[in-house]
Amino acid sequence: MRNRLIAIAVIMLPLCICAQDMRLLSMEEAVLGTGLRIADIKPFWSDDGKCLTYRYEGNVNTINLATGVSTSTPESQEEATGSGNTEGYESWAYTKGDNIYTKDNYGNEIAITSYQDSNIVCGQAVSRNEFGIEEGMFMAPDGNKLAFYRKDESRVSSFPLLDITTRTGSLRQVKYPMNGMDSETISLGVYDRISRETVWMDVTDFTEERYLTNISWSPDSRTIYIQVLDRKQKNMHLNAYDAATGKFLCTLFTEHDDRYVEPLHKLVFIDSDPDRFIYSTNVRDGYRNLYLGNVSGGEPQRLTVCNGDVEYLCQRGNYIYYYSTAVSPVEQHLFRVNLKNRKQTRLTKEPGWHKCSVSPDGKWFTDNWSSLDVPRKVAYGSTDGKIFRTFFEPADPADALNYGSIEMGTIKSADGLYDNWYRLIKPHNFDPTQKYPVILYVYGGPHIQLVTNSYQAQLRRWEMYMAQHGYIVFVMDGRGTPGHGAEYEKAIHRQCGKAEMSDQMEGIRWLMQNEWVDRERIGVHGWSYGGFMTISLMVNYPDIFKVGVAGGPVIDWKWYEVMYGERYMETEATNPEGFAATSLISRAKNLKGKLLICQGAIDETVVWEHSLSFIEACIRNGVQVDYFPYPTHPHNVSGKDRVHLMTKVTDYFEDYLK
């Protein structure tokens, strides 16, 4: 098949511009992006906020913000000055194995925890990194106390993973809390480095399989705030605890949603008023917005008033800086809001996806952005809106390649209430009188947005590689995607795959109205949730999709883990209809097209039980299906083996869809 792919590339060369600087992507470039990188400029501020510094092509470039004058010095002669990001505290605690250690003033190691039971894990992230949990230890602002998670997995079932690298093969047992089954229990301890004692926060809300999320210290290091979430993920209590004793102090406020509550961000205390803090939620007003809370309790007051999801960036004096999708769900812009009068101001003006930083004195900001046809621009501006200057604008790296056109647009969702954004990639020298096969690339699940108004609409290079080989490639975000508000995102609740499939089919029907689409040659590819969507589309619309490649697919939500799975699907006991409607086991018999499933054999995210069970269902129903495991890879195939994976995916479409 590899030789055949090369032959096809050679045959198609006459379709391409024949100039020496124009060429097709190689598979390695399609997968790894080799030779296609745009210069990564990361400007940072001087300590006084008066200068901006960045490195580029061996030089240190410094811009005087007041005058706009730029100076350049070879990096070997002078190091860039500036504090960069130095927030936080030097860590004095560390983990070895499943316990936490520190050292005294003489360098002697001291065990903060010393559990011998392998089911007890301390100092590491819990809840499978859901709810914004990325760490397991939390230093107090004064540096004298350390809060840490203690996870007890005694009741959690194990799943065996096969290690083929040993002489006779061996099984590695991993703890995997499956939907509806026993889960881990979490405690939060606080270690005092002076007394060398640990106290435990007295959390009694809900059942013991509650979630302790977004651990936040008060600025004076006396109080710990925990967003306590029930296992059903429908109720959240923001609780305060005495860090010295562990005593419960009060519940500041609560949140409830019949679908789910998903706390994702810690509290951010106001520098000038430590009794007030910033809180983020999408439960109260239809979008994820910022709210102003008080340690004395009471309902938080909305701070950002906009119809768009908001992400906190920083605070400078009386202003809170944040990103918002209020301009468009596919654009991210920088705003600020005045804490005194609540006035909101948009700071970035150009269409696109913006990443920014704000100077320590709050007078300036950097703007690093791209849009569909703009590879990158880097600029700085004054926060009063009077000055804005672009100082870096690289050439388009795709100019040297035979890229086809990339289009962005919207298609109405299946319920007619929303605009779903798509990107459409056509082959170079596209001929509307010809008919082309189509590949739908899909994800469809929460927290992933595939289409943004950024450079090439967030194109994956493999998509262009396939377009260069004669395919129409179509990617669309539907309901369930972030950035569009709570109703859009939570439309999938209890029926994962249903709204998403309906929206994807609206996109396919729109495509099929075009004469240049070959309706008999439509394929689909996706990984993880996208693998679930790939097979779902293949078995629910077998007359439409002729070829599919599914990677690491969820097959039945009863085999997925508690934290993610119960948020979106609840359990079989509470939602039997939803589990029956979304399971792919009973629909294996509907498969008509060619389907390849790829699976990492040591996958701890979507365990092997999913895809193997689907294979077994196909066998029982006399349905042919292709299967390719990656024996030493987890959920994602990475490194050089990813080239192997994408070559296999490509070959499958070349053999059966082309």
Side-chain angles (χ1 to χ4, degrees), residues 108-121:
N108 300 312
E109 187 172 78
I110 300 170
I112 295 177
T113 64
S114 54
Y115 294 100
Q116 301 300 311
D117 186 344
S118 62
N119 290 305
I120 308 297
V121 180

Side-chain angles (χ1 to χ4, degrees), residues 168-426:
T168 58
S170 56
L171 293 178
R172 178 168 63 92
Q173 302 288 337
V174 295
K175 290 291 187 176
Y176 193 90
M178 279 194 179
N179 187 299
M181 299 176 66
D182 288 336
S183 188
E184 62 194 35
T185 58
I186 307 299
S187 305
L188 189 79
V190 174
Y191 175 80
D192 189 313
R193 69 181 306 186
I194 298 174
S195 67
R196 296 187 182 180
E197 294 182 350
T198 296
V199 298
W200 298 92
M201 302 303 101
D202 184 21
V203 184
T204 59
D205 309 64
F206 314 122
T207 66
E208 63 178 348
E209 290 183 347
R210 64 184 78 85
Y211 301 104
L212 308 184
T213 74
N214 301 289
I215 309 304
S216 305
W217 280 96
S218 63
D220 62 7
S221 301
R222 295 180 177 179
T223 308
I224 283 184
Y225 297 90
I226 308 177
Q227 295 172 42
V228 184
L229 186 68
D230 65 345
R231 174 165 170 171
K232 293 180 179 180
Q233 302 184 45
K234 300 183 186 300
N235 299 282
M236 190 283 301
H237 295 171
L238 176 55
N239 290 347
Y241 299 87
D242 186 324
T245 66
K247 179 182 177 181
F248 168 75
L249 299 176
C250 66
T251 297
L252 276 66
F253 57 82
T254 66
E255 288 195 331
H256 170 81
D257 192 313
D258 288 337
R259 292 163 299 187
Y260 57 86
V261 178
E262 186 181 12
L264 291 171
H265 303 284
K266 298 179 182 180
L267 307 184
V268 179
F269 286 87
I270 303 300
D271 292 335
S272 59
D273 185 356
D275 286 341
R276 296 192 299 168
F277 57 84
I278 303 297
Y279 174 73
S280 172
T281 180
N282 70 352
V283 168
R284 295 172 176 265
D285 294 289
Y287 292 87
R288 183 167 294 280
N289 270 274
L290 303 181
Y291 295 77
L292 198 58
N294 196 294
V295 298
S296 61
E299 290 299 302
Q301 303 302 306
R302 189 172 180 180
L303 184 61
T304 56
V305 182
C306 60
N307 291 333
D309 285 346
V310 164
E311 178 185 347
Y312 170 87
L313 179 60
C314 66
Q315 58 178 299
R316 298 287 187 265
N318 290 321
Y319 292 95
I320 300 298
Y321 292 82
Y322 62 94
Y323 296 120
S324 174
T325 61
V327 176
S328 167
V330 295
E331 295 191 5
Q332 177 173 276
H333 286 275
L334 178 66
F335 291 75
R336 72 175 183 178
V337 58
N338 189 306
L339 284 169
K340 292 183 177 180
N341 59 24
R342 308 294 173 89
K343 179 182 178 180
Q344 298 175 111
T345 306
R346 175 181 169 184
L347 297 178
T348 53
K349 307 300 183 181
E350 294 290 331
W353 195 269
H354 296 255
K355 294 292 288 184
C356 304
S357 66
V358 182
S359 64
D361 60 8
K363 294 181 179 180
W364 303 90
F365 70 97
T366 63
D367 187 8
N368 190 335
W369 85 98
S370 69
S371 60
L372 178 62
D373 298 315
V374 175
R376 172 166 294 168
K377 287 187 180 182
V378 186
Y380 69 91
S382 58
T383 53
D384 62 10
K386 295 180 180 180
I387 298 174
F388 190 82
R389 298 187 179 110
T390 298
F391 65 87
F392 182 76
E393 186 173 357
D396 191 337
D399 285 345
L401 297 167
N402 270 321
Y403 270 28
S405 66
I406 305 171
E407 303 170 12
M408 283 184 65
T410 62
I411 297 169
K412 281 295 182 184
S413 57
D415 62 4
L417 299 178
Y418 305 99
D419 290 327
N420 291 334
W421 283 86
Y422 69 83
R423 68 172 174 265
L424 177 68
I425 304 99
K426 295 178 181 177

Side-chain angles (χ1 to χ4, degrees), residues 23-71:
R23 58 186 176 84
L24 293 168
L25 285 169
S26 68
M27 176 59 74
E28 287 75 13
E29 288 171 324
V31 176
L32 303 175
T34 306
L36 298 171
R37 301 187 186 280
I38 303 171
D40 191 10
I41 298 297
K42 295 181 178 179
F44 57 93
W45 305 100
S46 61
D47 290 329
D48 59 10
K50 295 181 179 180
C51 293
L52 194 62
T53 302
Y54 66 97
R55 291 180 172 90
Y56 182 61
E57 293 187 341
N59 291 323
V60 176
N61 305 281
T62 301
I63 302 171
N64 184 303
L65 298 173
T67 65
V69 175
S70 176
T71 58

